Amino acid sequence: MQDSPLTAPLPAVVNELGQLFADANSELSLVGGPVRDLFLGRTSPDLDFTTDADPDRTIAITRKWADGFWEIGREFGTIGLRKGSFTIEVTTYRAEAYDPSSRKPVVAFGDSLEDDLFRRDFTINAMALRLPSMELVDPYGGVKDLHAGVLRTPGTPSSSFSDDPLRMMRAARFASQLGVEVAPEVREAMTAMAERITIISAERVRDELTKLINGSQPRRGIDLMVETGLADHVLPEVPALCLETDEHHRHKDVYQHSLTVLEQACELETDDDGAVPAPDFVLRFAALMHDVGKPGTRKFEPSGAVSFRHHDVVGAKLTAKRMKALRFDNDTIKAVARLVELHMRFYGYGEAGWTDSAVRRYVNDAGPLLERLHRLTRSDVTTRNRRKAERLAFAYDDLESRISALAEQEELASIRPDLDGERIMALLGIKPGPVVGRAYRYLLEERMEHGPHTPEEAETKLRTWWSEQPESAEGDAS
């Protein structure tokens, strides 16, 4: 134990709360991530505390001080508080025991800070500041490990991961967020126990995966998951990208390519207008998953080349299926899968150029994902052939210029037929039904192919189309 030199960066509410508990003859310590972040020069948005007081006592001490509180985590000894802009959790000392076959911990309250710290996931999170004295409590060498950039567990890794297998995902997440290396014994335990992650709920795994992908170095976290076998159970489509190659059928290492695309996508996230602010999970996850359709579509051609026809469509389906299994929300699933499906579309432009109608379709198909698609497509160039890379970059620059030029003339982001459904029915004298949909699609195709029309031009085209339809014989549209 030692005096803490970190009093200055702490918000005033920390000392206030510490004094409240001291005045009530109860212990209170700032613990875990907020303490770790102080050593990293960061301010944690959430404040976590641990105490010898039980939940009832915590509520009694803080009721008049806090702006609000909630008891959702009460069964685990946690009381949530709100004070000004701060979200605070106060948890009674714990000595948890886990049922190896259960997803949920069996909670037992403890009676000492040191025992509480021992049950935490990693030494860098097993540090505390006693309040209000600001005494640093670091019984397991968390500060030393943090400075060394090493991830270790307070006890044996096997016991820690057996207690809570989700800690293996946290190890990969911290590799991404903090750039730390896992200690050899931690890596060994992750490898031996990777299958235990399957007892953890999909929602908890999803949350850790999202934090990993949004970290500053997601490649490190994904690599750790793949190397330890954790990804085989969480994200099996990614290790499947490690395709075997031989001297007769050479092609890119798809796994390493995908990680490079992920890194390059991260670098392109934030631009001057903030169109894709960092971190952007949808762009990053699409970059990681964009080629997952390749293993299932790989074909060795007679020429010795390797093809992956329709891997974009197959990959989109695999991505959506995996994200559904991980309980992602529908909007996120649709966005990521759509980017995977569209990531090859640009290459037709690079090879032959497009008409204005093809450019319109590209914009329309991308919809609100267009800015992300721009970045994903540019990130997908990992060739070492400088001339090829420059040619592709020039082609995409040209495509973006054409999109901008057309956008000045037309509302590309929201292309609609020149006549709406109400006007179509009025002109043709028909009621709502499938025919209206057909007419609407015809006008949309005309809009895509030829650009915007005046209402008069659109009406003339619609009447001509209608005269060729079998239903027009049933009544006079004029």
Side-chain angles (χ1 to χ4, degrees):
M1 299 183 187
Q2 55 185 298
D3 291 338
S4 169
L6 302 173
T7 55
L10 288 172
V13 293
V14 172
N15 290 318
E16 290 177 15
L17 192 59
Q19 193 61 53
L20 275 178
F21 275 77
D23 292 345
N25 295 315
S26 292
E27 297 178 6
L28 185 75
S29 297
L30 184 68
V31 70
V35 179
R36 177 200 69 224
D37 286 347
L38 288 172
F39 283 94
L40 296 173
R42 307 188 313 198
T43 301
S44 180
D46 299 325
L47 297 173
D48 297 326
F49 297 85
T50 188
T51 180
D52 62 347
D54 64 23
D56 288 337
R57 181 69 173 152
T58 294
I59 291 174
I61 293 170
T62 61
R63 185 182 295 276
K64 293 182 179 180
W65 176 81
D67 296 329
F69 67 92
W70 54 94
E71 305 178 52
I72 295 176
R74 187 189 185 96
E75 65 176 308
F76 298 106
T78 300
I79 298 299
L81 309 173
R82 180 175 53 81
K83 181 67 173 179
S85 62
F86 293 96
T87 299
I88 296 168
E89 288 191 348
V90 181
T91 302
T92 305
Y93 293 153
R94 290 191 290 189
E96 285 180 357
Y98 286 77
D99 178 348
S101 63
S102 174
R103 296 179 174 184
K104 297 182 178 180
V106 178
V107 177
F109 294 152
D111 55 14
S112 80
L113 175 59
E114 287 75 9
D115 287 348
D116 181 89
L117 295 177
F118 182 77
R119 55 151 289 276
R120 294 181 180 267
D121 52 5
F122 302 105
T123 60
I124 62 174
N125 293 329
M127 300 183 288
L129 288 178
R130 288 191 186 274
L131 301 171
S133 67
M134 305 306 295
E135 176 190 18
L136 177 64
V137 183
D138 182 19
Y140 308 109
V143 173
K144 180 181 177 182
D145 287 343
L146 193 59
H147 287 318
V150 176
L151 204 63
R152 295 190 304 110
T153 53
T156 64
S158 57
S159 294
S160 181
F161 297 155
S162 180
D163 283 348
D164 186 359
L166 189 67
R167 290 172 174 172
M168 295 184 287
M169 282 294 297
R170 288 194 194 127
R173 187 241 293 185
F174 286 129
S176 168
Q177 288 183 327
L178 304 177
V180 295
E181 293 285 348
V182 296
E185 67 272 16
V186 173
R187 182 183 290 267
E188 182 179 342
M190 290 177 67
T191 303
M193 304 176 68
E195 189 271 338
R196 275 190 59 77
I197 196 64
T198 58
I199 74 167
I200 301 298
S201 70
E203 291 83 359
R204 295 180 73 204
V205 171
R206 174 203 63 209
D207 290 346
E208 289 296 327
L209 179 63
T210 300
K211 293 174 183 177
L212 184 161
I213 295 297
N214 284 343
S216 60
Q217 302 179 58
R219 182 173 193 150
R220 295 175 71 109
I222 294 297
D223 257 338
L224 182 59
M225 287 181 61
V226 171
E227 291 168 1
T228 59
L230 200 59
D232 291 338
H233 306 287
V234 174
L235 207 59
E237 295 79 8
V238 172
L241 294 172
C242 301
L243 299 174
E244 295 180 3
T245 59
D246 59 54
E247 60 180 339
H248 302 296
H249 299 103
R250 294 185 178 180
H251 56 82
K252 284 182 181 178
D253 183 322
V254 183
Y255 172 68
Q256 292 300 330
H257 163 74
S258 297
L259 293 187
T260 299
V261 174
L262 170 59
E263 286 184 316
Q264 294 183 168
C266 293
E267 293 171 359
L268 293 177
E269 279 175 328
T270 303
D271 59 10
D272 293 338
D273 62 7
V276 187
D280 190 88
F281 177 81
V282 170
L283 172 61
R284 293 184 179 203
F285 202 56
L288 176 65
M289 303 292 282
H290 77 285
D291 274 347
V292 295
K294 281 190 171 180
T297 58
R298 181 171 62 162
K299 181 179 180 181
F300 298 119
E301 304 292 349
S303 64
V306 180
S307 66
F308 303 96
R309 290 187 179 88
H310 307 302
H311 76 272
D312 43 358
V313 177
V314 172
K317 293 178 180 178
L318 289 174
T319 298
K321 183 178 180 181
R322 178 54 50 196
M323 293 182 73
K324 286 177 183 176
L326 288 169
R327 303 293 192 271
F328 279 95
D329 64 275
N330 288 335
D331 288 344
T332 303
I333 293 172
K334 289 178 182 178
V336 174
R338 187 60 166 161
L339 285 175
V340 172
E341 182 181 1
L342 293 174
H343 84 272
M344 291 293 293
R345 182 75 66 84
F346 158 72
Y347 290 94
Y349 184 91
E351 293 166 3
W354 287 350
T355 62
D356 284 351
S357 63
V359 175
R360 292 187 192 99
R361 292 178 192 281
Y362 186 78
V363 173
N364 189 68
D365 288 348
L369 298 172
L370 182 62
E371 291 295 340
R372 290 185 175 109
L373 182 58
H374 286 334
R375 287 151 183 77
L376 176 59
T377 302
R378 289 185 183 277
S379 301
D380 197 19
V381 179
T382 62
T383 178
R384 295 180 180 178
N385 185 321
R386 181 178 176 183
R387 187 171 297 178
K388 181 179 180 182
E390 289 177 346
R391 184 173 69 250
L392 288 170
F394 176 81
Y396 208 84
D397 287 344
D398 184 63
L399 174 57
E400 286 203 62
S401 295
R402 290 186 61 193
I403 290 173
S404 296
L406 280 173
E408 291 181 5
Q409 306 168 32
E410 312 170 21
E411 295 181 8
L412 288 185
S414 56
I415 292 179
R416 299 288 185 273
D418 297 293
L419 304 176
D420 61 20
E422 291 293 333
R423 185 60 180 155
I424 290 172
M425 288 188 288
L427 282 170
L428 303 185
I430 58 177
K431 297 179 180 180
V435 177
V436 179
R438 278 168 39 209
Y440 187 92
R441 288 190 294 273
Y442 163 74
L443 289 176
L444 179 60
E445 286 294 317
E446 284 292 308
R447 174 74 170 77
M448 289 287 190
E449 191 67 30
H450 303 292
H453 301 83
T454 64
E456 293 75 16
E457 291 171 337
E459 290 176 8
T460 298
K461 285 181 173 291
L462 178 62
R463 292 180 186 279
T464 300
W465 172 85
W466 178 241
S467 68
E468 299 170 353
Q469 306 306 305
E471 294 87 351
S472 66
E474 301 174 8
D476 182 7
S478 61

